Amino acid sequence: MSAFLASPEQILLFGLASVFVYALLSNAIAKTIVTLPMIFTAIGYICSEPLDALISPEILNDGTRLLAEITLVLVLFSDASRVRFQAFKKTYSLALRMLSIGLPLTVLFGTVVVYALHPFGGLGVALLTAAVLTPTDAALGQTVVTGKTVPEELRNTINVESGLNDGLALPFILMGAILASSGIGGSHVDDLGKVILLQITLGPLIGLLLGWGFAKIMSAAQERQLMAEAAGGVAFLTVAFAAYFLSEAAGGNGFIAAFTAGMVFGNTYKSQIHFISEFMEGMGQLLTILSFFVFGAVLLPDGLAHVNWIPVTIAIFCLTVVRMVPIWVSLLGTGLEIRDKLFLGWFGPRGLASILFTLIIIDEYDFVGETSLLACVSMTVFLSIIAHGVTAAPMSKRIGAAR
């Protein structure tokens, strides 16, 4: 294969052909245990050696960072824009419990486990690793959220949780990254509080103002029939990236700003915002394909090069007890059956958000435990792609039959 992929053009053609074949066979593939992340992680891994030989590390690094930033801004904004404040507590009470109780407990439990197994990086790296591995990705078990065999209440809960926990995990990730980097030329300990405060306050403030302001302007233009409906897709891109860049320029965190802007925009805009979901259905899938390709081509080989029993053990813990125990605790008193709690706890696949956060954090911060973080994330996402992909269909049928 390396002989065949002897130039950037040949790698590009191979990638395009793979995407086209996947599109042609997408319905047939959906009926099997094979998933999109499995396919394009494997394709990326096949291309990893030719890419290393043909493209300089600087260009490859810049390209992956750009892809990660664009994808994460769009994912955070679009996911947050679907939340409706008025209906959230009543309609998505289970997801609210999992996000408000389960997510912080998962970060805390994960930090303890990582630090106990690998204390050499310090609490900062332990917190960062746990936080990066907290967001879930419903795409790794697509059958669970699209198949009709899973009860609607459980499907909606998993979908809403996976859509919001990446944004809500951001402050923990940010604190972990700043703490981890503070010891080797990053922020001084005295300045940590100020840096963290600026990052987690300016972002939401700028996102709130821009999300509200742009939504009001677009609503007025829509009411006066000044804006074509199809132009909404272009306009929302402007809002998302304006929030990101303005927050970064002001010293805040652009990703938190994009997440907040999406939430406020979705609740302020008076007309339907289906143009966001329509745009993300096509572009979002392409960005997901590219992200898992990059995972297979860049993160996975580097992670495997540094893997030992510690990252594998951390990955197994993160996919099981570190996730499932906090979710179980968050669902106490809801009246759910034991099987439903276990189902919601198990289907917390790690995927897109963990990949993107890792690419950005490693590029932006310098800290002692970079290789440990890389190995832990690579192993966790790799095992999750296989485990959740294989179990999605049979467990969906079983939970539906039990109900």
Side-chain angles (χ1 to χ4, degrees), residues 11-24 39-40 43:
I11 295 174
L12 179 59
L13 287 172
F14 176 64
L16 291 173
S18 301
V19 173
F20 183 70
V21 171
Y22 172 80
L24 286 180
I39 293 170
F40 288 98
I43 292 170

Side-chain angles (χ1 to χ4, degrees), residues 4 15 19 37-38 57 74 149 151 159 191 196 199 217 226 235 238 292 318 321 333 349-350 352 365 391:
F4 172 71
V19 173
M38 289 182 188
L74 292 178
T149 55
N159 208 14
D191 296 330
I196 293 173
Q199 288 272 301
I217 293 170
L226 298 174
T238 305
F292 280 102
C318 286
V321 292
R350 309 312 196 279
L352 188 61
Y365 296 90
T391 59

Side-chain angles (χ1 to χ4, degrees), residues 303-369:
L304 290 174
H306 299 98
V307 76
N308 53 47
W309 69 270
I310 294 176
V312 174
T313 305
I314 290 172
I316 293 171
F317 268 97
C318 286
L319 293 175
T320 53
V321 292
V322 169
R323 156 77 182 182
M324 297 176 77
V325 171
I327 294 302
W328 181 287
V329 172
S330 72
L331 296 174
L332 290 175
T334 59
L336 280 180
E337 297 284 346
I338 292 175
R339 63 172 180 268
D340 294 342
K341 293 176 183 177
L342 291 174
F343 185 82
L344 290 173
W346 169 244
F347 277 104
R350 309 312 196 279
L352 188 61
S354 296
I355 294 169
L356 300 176
F357 284 135
T358 303
L359 288 170
I360 291 167
I361 291 298
I362 286 179
D363 185 63
E364 190 165 331
Y365 296 90
D366 292 317
F367 50 94
V368 173

Side-chain angles (χ1 to χ4, degrees), residues 91-378:
T91 309
Y92 303 119
S93 58
L94 297 180
L96 182 61
R97 279 171 163 265
M98 291 166 69
L99 291 166
S100 60
I101 301 172
L103 187 147
L105 284 178
T106 301
V107 175
L108 176 61
F109 192 12
T111 302
V112 172
V113 169
V114 174
Y115 186 73
L117 289 170
H118 187 69
F120 313 107
L123 278 173
V125 173
L127 172 60
L128 175 59
T129 304
V132 165
L133 292 174
T134 294
T136 59
D137 182 3
L140 270 68
Q142 192 66 23
T143 306
V144 174
V145 292
T146 58
K148 300 301 181 183
T149 55
V150 179
E152 185 178 4
E153 180 185 35
L154 300 184
R155 275 191 285 122
N156 288 339
T157 298
I158 291 172
N159 208 14
V160 171
E161 188 219 4
S162 67
L164 293 181
N165 59 13
D166 43 7
L168 297 176
L170 261 170
F172 297 105
I173 294 169
L174 189 62
M175 285 188 283
I178 293 172
L179 286 170
S181 64
S182 62
I184 54 168
S187 304
H188 295 293
V189 175
D190 295 340
D191 296 330
L192 278 179
K194 180 181 177 182
V195 172
I196 293 173
L197 185 65
L198 282 174
Q199 288 272 301
I200 65 177
T201 55
L202 281 178
L205 180 61
I206 290 171
L208 189 153
L209 292 173
L210 289 186
W212 180 84
F214 274 95
K216 286 292 186 182
I217 293 170
M218 287 176 62
S219 295
Q222 186 74 26
E223 288 173 356
R224 291 166 175 76
Q225 298 184 343
L226 298 174
M227 185 179 75
E229 188 174 355
V234 177
F236 107 83
L237 292 176
T238 305
V239 186
F241 286 104
Y244 173 79
F245 286 116
L246 184 59
S247 180
E248 289 288 319
N253 185 271
F255 299 113
I256 296 178
F259 183 75
T260 309
M263 196 171 289
V264 175
F265 181 88
N267 283 274
T268 307
Y269 189 61
K270 293 182 179 179
S271 303
Q272 295 292 322
I273 57 169
H274 51 78
F275 51 80
I276 295 180
S277 57
E278 288 174 358
F279 178 89
M280 290 302 293
E281 278 179 11
M283 183 57 69
Q285 189 173 51
L286 179 59
L287 290 172
T288 300
I289 287 172
L290 289 172
S291 297
F292 280 102
F293 177 87
V294 167
F295 171 69
V298 179
L299 280 186
L300 186 57
D302 286 348
L304 290 174
H306 299 98
V307 76
N308 53 47
W309 69 270
I310 294 176
V312 174
T313 305
I314 290 172
I316 293 171
F317 268 97
C318 286
L319 293 175
T320 53
V321 292
V322 169
R323 156 77 182 182
M324 297 176 77
V325 171
I327 294 302
W328 181 287
V329 172
S330 72
L331 296 174
L332 290 175
T334 59
L336 280 180
E337 297 284 346
I338 292 175
R339 63 172 180 268
D340 294 342
K341 293 176 183 177
L342 291 174
F343 185 82
L344 290 173
W346 169 244
F347 277 104
R350 309 312 196 279
L352 188 61
S354 296
I355 294 169
L356 300 176
F357 284 135
T358 303
L359 288 170
I360 291 167
I361 291 298
I362 286 179
D363 185 63
E364 190 165 331
Y365 296 90
D366 292 317
F367 50 94
V368 173
E370 283 188 14
T371 56
S372 300
L373 173 67
L374 192 61
C376 288
V377 172
S378 298

